[in-house]
Amino acid sequence: MSIDPRVALQSLTAALEEHLAAASARRGEGDPAVEAAFFAVADAFEVYEDALYESYSEVTPLQVFDEEEEDDEDVLDEDLESLED
């Protein structure tokens, strides 16, 4: 079942607005509301990107990075730094 890209875009926009609200009301590092809003944006974006591709064979220039990819990138940076020394 495919989702209308316009509906997915509205959900993404709403998720971004919720993220802004949570970030502006942040109560310190690791605020669970900000973390939840962050993941809601990532999920809504993936739904939008899938709907856009299914309907129009089009993608956005954006990418969602997960923590594993970020960790791998950190390891690569550390490896490069050790090679430079």
Side-chain angles (χ1 to χ4, degrees):
M1 183 167 112
S2 66
I3 296 174
D4 182 339
R6 286 178 179 80
V7 173
L9 178 59
Q10 289 171 346
S11 295
L12 175 57
T13 302
L16 287 166
E17 289 175 355
E18 288 296 320
H19 184 265
L20 176 59
S24 67
R26 176 186 298 269
R27 290 170 277 161
E29 287 294 316
D31 186 329
V34 175
E35 185 176 331
F38 172 89
F39 288 113
V41 169
D43 292 343
F45 172 74
E46 288 180 1
V47 170
Y48 172 67
E49 181 112 317
D50 290 345
L52 187 65
Y53 188 79
E54 283 183 28
S55 295
Y56 304 114
S57 298
E58 189 59 60
V59 295
T60 68
L62 307 173
Q63 183 176 2
V64 174
F65 292 99
D66 63 20
E67 288 184 31
E68 288 179 15
E69 289 175 357
E70 187 176 302
D71 290 343
D72 291 345
E73 207 170 280
D74 291 342
V75 170
L76 288 174
D77 289 343
E78 290 172 8
D79 288 346
L80 288 174
E81 288 174 10
S82 68
L83 289 174
E84 292 172 352
D85 292 339

